[in-house]
Amino acid sequence: EVQLVESGGGLVEPGGSLRLSCAASGFTFSSSSMSWVRQPPGKGLERVSSIDSGGGNTYYADPVKGRFTISRDNAKNTLYLQLNSLKTEDTAMYYCAKGWRGEQGNDRGQGTQVTVSS
């Protein structure tokens, strides 16, 4: 059974930073592409970033390019998302998802809330 557990969210002021983590189990993490997706209040799920199994290929949605960095540690079965220069529009529930197009699948964690507000 795929299990994904996110952590690291919180309340931060505009311009601040957070680091999200996702602990994965129940599947071969090192062979799987992974994604971060988010759901802003009152809106649908949107893809934020993806990384291939080896970490050599990444994708970033235009709104987060240059501000967010996705990474992974296959030895620890953990996925990360570094969020810098946060904006109020980054406020959302952030989910770790299995697959390159994680927003299309059903394997997601319970989410971690990121709120950007002064």
Side-chain angles (χ1 to χ4, degrees):
E1 177 187 1
V2 173
Q3 290 195 333
L4 300 165
V5 180
E6 303 92 338
S7 61
L11 173 63
V12 63
E13 292 186 348
S17 297
L18 285 172
R19 189 193 196 202
L20 308 184
S21 298
C22 171
S25 62
F27 64 104
T28 306
F29 180 78
S30 59
S31 298
S32 299
S33 295
M34 297 294 296
S35 299
W36 286 98
V37 300
R38 68 186 181 185
Q39 186 165 22
K43 298 184 179 180
L45 202 61
E46 57 186 47
R47 185 188 188 195
V48 175
S49 182
S50 301
I51 188 168
D52 69 1
S53 59
N57 189 26
T58 57
Y59 162 86
Y60 295 95
D62 286 343
V64 308
K65 279 181 182 176
R67 300 188 298 119
F68 292 8
T69 304
I70 192 171
S71 62
R72 63 190 298 159
D73 185 335
N74 286 344
K76 295 182 178 180
N77 284 3
T78 303
L79 179 72
Y80 303 100
L81 186 69
Q82 178 69 40
L83 292 67
N84 295 332
S85 302
L86 281 160
K87 304 176 180 180
T88 55
E89 53 262 44
D90 294 318
T91 295
M93 185 70 79
Y94 283 72
Y95 299 91
C96 169
K98 185 174 178 285
W100 182 251
R101 295 299 302 269
E103 79 283 9
Q104 297 180 349
N106 295 319
D107 291 323
R108 291 193 293 273
Q110 83 291 345
T112 186
Q113 177 69 38
V114 172
T115 302
V116 185
S117 175
S118 55

